[in-house]
Amino acid sequence: MSTFKNASHNPSRISPVKNKNVPTWSSAQSEELYGFKRWGGGHFGVEDDGTVSVQPLADGTSIRIMDVIDEAVSMGLKAPLVIRFQDLLRHRVTQLNELFRKAIKDEGYEGEYRGVFPIKVNQLREVVEEIVSASDGYDYGLEAGSKPELMIALAMHEGANSLIICNGYKDHDYIRIALLGRKLGKKIIIVVEQLTEVDDIIRVAAEVGVDPLIGFRAKLQTRGEGKWSSSSGDNAKFGLNTAEILFACEKLRKAKLTSALKLVHFHIGSQVPNILTIKNAVIEASRFYCQLAKMGFPMGYLDVGGGLGIDYDGSRTNYESSMNYTMAEYARDVVANVRDICDSMNVPVPNLVSESGRAVVAPHSMLVVEVFERINKRETLGVQHQPKVKHKVVTDLETLLRNKHKLGRLERFHDATQKKEEAFSLFNLGYLDLENRAAAESIFWQVCEQIAQETRNAGYVPEELRELNKLLADQYVCNFSVFQSLLDHWALKQLFPIAPLHRLKEHPSVNATLVDITCDSDGKIGTFIDLQDTKDYLQLHPLNGKPYYLGVFLTGAYQDIMGDLHNLFGRVNEVHVFLENDEPNGYYIEETLSGVRMSEVIEGVQYQWEELCRRIKSQIDTATKKDLVKPREGVRLLEFYESQMMAKTYLNIEQPVVTKTKKTRAQSRG
Ligand SMILES: *Cc1c(COP(=O)(O)O)cnc(C)c1O
């Protein structure tokens, strides 16, 4: 009996871990493996029953995420599902404001914190409403970067002391909308990003007869770092350079609007990983502020923009997915550096504004995806197919697998690779049949698996062999679209923490990468967070025929709105969860948003779904006339097509059908 056959009849030979000596495993080990405590900010953990829980207020009161999923499913809202923890959102607003208050108190700072939430980071009404409501007592305001965002900000904004900051490119209507806010008595500051905007503001303000409040966005020399660093420096799209700031001052003087200038603003990019960058930017901007104050402008606010990070990988480093500081340190550094510069220049300290978006909203929402299939190179390839006549290339590979000659790992890997290439060439030239090709591929993977197993406990592992684990990893197919729900992973290679939401007491024995259901080879996740650098695969559980859910965490910033319609999948289902002690599981779902239906995405690209149904009807009629379809069947086919128009776009994963019920199911489906 050949080794090949042995291997095929004894899968444990391929991966002994799976069947024998299943390692014991605990919730605590899972908590460590997936890093919940490192990136979770005290909000995420693993319960003793092996499921993930969230503590929206980080106070010990927790919600089991599987409870939420089960309830959502019972309401017809299957994964892919976005879950928003509204209390966690509130908590972040409170935390940011409290930490600035504390820093201000500790440093004896004589100004106040007047932060604003940049709407572009998550425009969803429920998110903005929650933030506005959480701002009560903090004078926390809103930031807009476009006309539609300003329309929202103006209407949603509350409070006489909280600000509305107007950034972005502006036409006259933008300025008119902002000045409408001034008429309503709002503290709404128009930030000049281009020199010409000064003339526009002067003109429109005269036209509507309102005193504007104006800020200047300074182009700092201090460059951001990480993926978003192009928001600053000489080539930035926005902001005034030093000469332009002086021109702008002259224009205001000439227009007798000196008293309008209130604020200096900068934004050096999102997710700034290094606190030193922030300190430098704050120092540079404080100098601008003080110089303008000394020139006789009233001033009053320094706006440090966004950039406050999220530690997506929990490493507390200046790696781009991380940050080497805390929110508390950020607040202290802003406060202390502004104070030091102002003191040194004898200028009264400003009120402080930050436009922290990512840091406020990222943690509150997560994406739940369901794995429904495993693509496995080794077990599907040719195991059952024994070539009738074995080609030499196959027997050569078998020899390698048996390793009679006691070759080293690297040498065996090279030899096996060579044989595999040879097999493909032979196939192309017509010298290898399908069965021999299948056998060659299969044995090649077995050799790789064997080498990988030996490598696992070895000390130094050469680069080529380290890649092996990545090559050997399975692919778990998940019912979602990267382009809709995790756009930044595709566009910017941004990493999000990902972990199973249950079965965390079981040993995760499968190395896997994730792929989505779009027909796009980029629709995948093959890089994962790790303490050191990144990982090429995730350790997951073998599929067992029951739903297997993964959570993608910290997705509340930017992902919701930037998703696109690749393959017309569109928006996913969504539930909004609130803590509630009186409820059985400690929470209730206040709001549900249904993911898009096929008719909706189809209309989004200019078809009319009724028209498509009419076309299908006429084709069915024709087919009926030609007797390709029986009339009764034709009616059913049309009904099915029409009902699918109202169905959701994502896969409708049905659990494996038990033989007994198979018939009725098939019938009911028509
Ligand atoms: C995007 C943006 C922000 C938000 O940045 P975060 O890093 O998400 O806090 C703030 N201000 C301006 C001007 C922006 O463009």
Side-chain angles (χ1 to χ4, degrees), residues 118 120-121 143 167 217 267 270-271 306-307 355-358 558:
K120 77 154 191 255
V121 186
E143 185 262 6
N167 290 322
R217 174 163 179 173
H267 174 67
S270 202
Q271 183 68 15
E355 303 172 347
S356 312
R358 180 187 301 276
Y558 300 104

Side-chain angles (χ1 to χ4, degrees), residues 88-325:
L88 209 165
L89 183 54
R90 277 192 104 78
H91 181 75
R92 293 297 282 188
V93 174
T94 311
Q95 203 174 15
L96 179 68
N97 280 283
E98 286 295 336
L99 287 171
F100 263 100
R101 278 196 177 170
K102 180 166 188 314
I104 282 169
K105 185 155 170 272
D106 292 351
E107 299 289 330
Y109 191 85
E110 305 207 321
E112 286 177 17
Y113 176 64
R114 295 280 167 82
V116 288
F117 172 68
I119 293 184
K120 77 154 191 255
V121 186
N122 197 318
Q123 296 103 332
L124 191 74
R125 177 175 53 82
E126 287 86 344
V127 170
V128 172
E129 268 175 359
E130 196 71 45
I131 291 172
V132 169
S133 137
S135 315
D136 198 20
Y138 289 119
D139 295 328
Y140 187 68
L142 296 170
E143 185 262 6
S146 67
K147 270 192 287 188
E149 286 180 3
L150 182 55
M151 298 290 279
I152 296 174
L154 205 57
M156 301 298 291
H157 170 262
E158 291 170 6
N161 286 323
S162 64
L163 303 176
I164 296 180
I165 302 280
C166 303
N167 290 322
Y169 284 97
K170 302 167 195 78
D171 61 8
H172 286 191
D173 285 341
Y174 185 128
I175 297 166
R176 283 187 195 106
I177 303 170
L179 294 179
L180 161 67
R182 284 293 294 148
K183 287 212 174 183
L184 301 178
K186 292 182 187 292
K187 284 208 167 63
I188 180 162
I189 302 181
I190 306 173
V191 176
V192 174
E193 315 239 22
Q194 312 285 324
L195 193 52
T196 54
E197 285 175 10
V198 182
D199 302 313
D200 295 339
I201 295 169
I202 292 170
R203 180 142 25 111
V204 177
E207 167 200 308
V208 299
V210 171
D211 287 341
L213 303 177
I214 295 175
F216 288 163
R217 174 163 179 173
K219 233 178 223 177
L220 299 188
Q221 274 308 302
T222 310
R223 297 286 307 260
E225 279 174 83
K227 299 182 191 298
W228 290 269
S229 57
S230 58
S231 310
S232 56
D234 293 329
N235 290 326
K237 230 164 68 168
F238 293 115
L240 306 176
N241 63 31
T242 322
E244 287 169 331
I245 286 184
L246 292 175
F247 281 129
C249 289
E250 279 169 32
K251 285 174 193 280
L252 291 183
R253 282 229 161 88
K254 270 209 196 109
K256 305 223 175 329
L257 277 176
T258 321
S259 62
L261 184 61
K262 293 286 187 195
L263 172 144
V264 168
H265 169 262
F266 72 86
H267 174 67
I268 55 170
S270 202
Q271 183 68 15
V272 177
N274 194 341
I275 189 71
L276 290 179
T277 316
I278 288 166
K279 287 181 200 253
N280 288 335
V282 167
I283 289 171
E284 192 183 346
S286 301
R287 292 282 176 203
F288 273 102
Y289 179 91
C290 291
Q291 299 263 0
L292 288 167
K294 292 237 158 194
M295 284 163 65
F297 292 96
M299 305 311 287
Y301 299 93
L302 177 64
D303 180 347
V304 300
L308 175 56
I310 284 284
D311 194 355
Y312 290 97
D313 67 15
S315 66
R316 282 292 296 278
T317 58
N318 61 1
Y319 181 67
E320 57 191 17
S321 300
S322 184
M323 56 199 272
N324 65 2
Y325 55 96

Side-chain angles (χ1 to χ4, degrees), residues 59-96:
D59 66 347
T61 315
S62 64
I63 297 172
R64 287 168 69 242
I65 292 170
M66 287 306 293
D67 286 343
V68 179
I69 296 174
D70 289 344
E71 187 171 345
V73 168
S74 76
M75 298 162 106
L77 301 170
K78 293 191 185 181
L81 174 71
V82 165
I83 307 180
R84 294 186 194 289
F85 299 104
Q86 298 289 109
D87 303 270
L88 209 165
L89 183 54
R90 277 192 104 78
H91 181 75
R92 293 297 282 188
V93 174
T94 311
Q95 203 174 15
L96 179 68

Side-chain angles (χ1 to χ4, degrees), residues 61 579-584 586-587:
T61 315
L579 280 171
E580 176 58 66
N581 279 338
D582 298 339
E583 295 289 335
Y587 75 92

Side-chain angles (χ1 to χ4, degrees), residues 25-34 46-48 504-505:
W25 192 259
S26 68
S27 292
Q29 276 167 296
S30 286
E31 199 164 75
E32 173 62 25
L33 174 65
Y34 301 107
V46 182
E47 300 285 301
D48 291 340
L504 292 168
K505 288 199 310 194

Side-chain angles (χ1 to χ4, degrees), residues 383-649:
V383 180
Q384 314 90 319
H385 297 286
Q386 282 292 335
K388 282 180 206 76
V389 185
K390 260 185 219 165
H391 192 282
K392 178 161 183 308
V393 77
V394 172
T395 49
D396 285 352
L397 277 162
E398 284 177 359
T399 311
L400 274 174
L401 185 62
R402 279 196 298 268
N403 196 18
K404 275 239 177 80
H405 305 301
K406 301 271 176 283
L407 300 181
R409 296 187 302 248
L410 202 52
E411 188 171 354
R412 252 183 301 151
F413 178 62
H414 292 153
D415 288 358
T417 308
Q418 185 204 353
K419 287 293 162 195
K420 184 189 66 168
E421 299 295 331
E422 194 181 316
F424 289 154
S425 302
L426 287 167
F427 178 80
N428 287 347
L429 293 169
Y431 295 123
L432 203 67
D433 60 18
L434 274 180
E435 286 182 336
N436 271 289
R437 177 178 162 144
E441 287 179 31
S442 168
I443 304 169
F444 169 76
W445 288 115
Q446 289 175 53
V447 174
C448 291
E449 178 70 35
Q450 197 181 54
I451 297 170
Q453 297 260 336
E454 291 168 27
T455 306
R456 243 154 245 164
N457 301 321
Y460 172 73
V461 179
E463 182 74 27
E464 279 171 288
L465 296 188
R466 253 180 288 155
E467 291 283 306
L468 253 187
N469 272 323
K470 184 172 160 186
L471 270 182
L472 287 168
D474 288 351
Q475 287 172 316
Y476 271 21
V477 191
C478 307
N479 190 12
F480 83 118
S481 158
V482 167
F483 307 94
Q484 170 63 39
S485 298
L486 291 178
L487 195 74
D488 280 348
H489 180 76
W490 169 71
L492 296 161
K493 306 274 166 286
Q494 200 202 313
L495 301 183
F496 296 91
I498 301 177
L501 295 173
H502 53 152
R503 298 178 63 188
L504 292 168
K505 288 199 310 194
E506 294 170 42
H507 180 245
S509 57
V510 180
N511 295 339
T513 61
L514 308 181
V515 295
D516 74 3
I517 55 169
T518 64
C519 306
D520 192 315
S521 51
D522 275 348
K524 63 178 183 208
I525 304 178
T527 315
F528 302 89
I529 62 159
D530 201 5
L531 264 187
Q532 242 108 56
D533 219 331
T534 57
K535 268 199 294 216
D536 297 324
Y537 51 83
L538 207 56
Q539 284 160 267
L540 297 175
H541 303 93
L543 301 184
N544 60 6
K546 296 189 192 134
Y548 184 53
Y549 293 111
L550 304 179
V552 186
F553 297 86
L554 313 181
T555 57
Y558 300 104
Q559 305 317 295
D560 287 329
I561 204 64
M562 306 235 281
D564 78 355
L565 270 180
H566 200 358
N567 271 144
L568 298 184
F569 283 116
R571 256 184 93 154
V572 305
N573 291 326
E574 189 171 319
V575 294
H576 300 170
V577 173
F578 285 81
L579 280 171
E580 176 58 66
N581 279 338
D582 298 339
E583 295 289 335
N585 293 318
Y587 75 92
Y588 69 100
I589 293 178
E590 191 207 53
E591 183 122 32
T592 63
L593 308 179
S594 186
V596 287
R597 299 176 190 285
M598 289 195 244
S599 57
E600 294 169 303
V601 288
I602 284 171
E603 301 237 310
V605 284
Q606 298 282 54
Y607 300 91
Q608 286 186 321
W609 65 268
E610 295 97 332
E611 169 64 17
L612 296 186
C613 289
R614 265 196 298 279
R615 281 169 175 250
I616 289 295
K617 179 172 187 313
S618 95
Q619 292 181 45
I620 290 176
D621 287 347
T622 311
T624 315
K625 280 197 194 101
K626 290 187 187 156
D627 208 24
L628 295 171
V629 173
K630 297 268 171 289
R632 188 184 289 270
E633 188 186 7
V635 171
R636 263 196 285 127
L637 290 175
L638 183 61
E639 272 172 16
F640 172 67
Y641 182 83
E642 286 173 347
S643 69
Q644 283 297 303
M645 275 293 177
M646 297 305 138
K648 307 269 176 75
T649 53

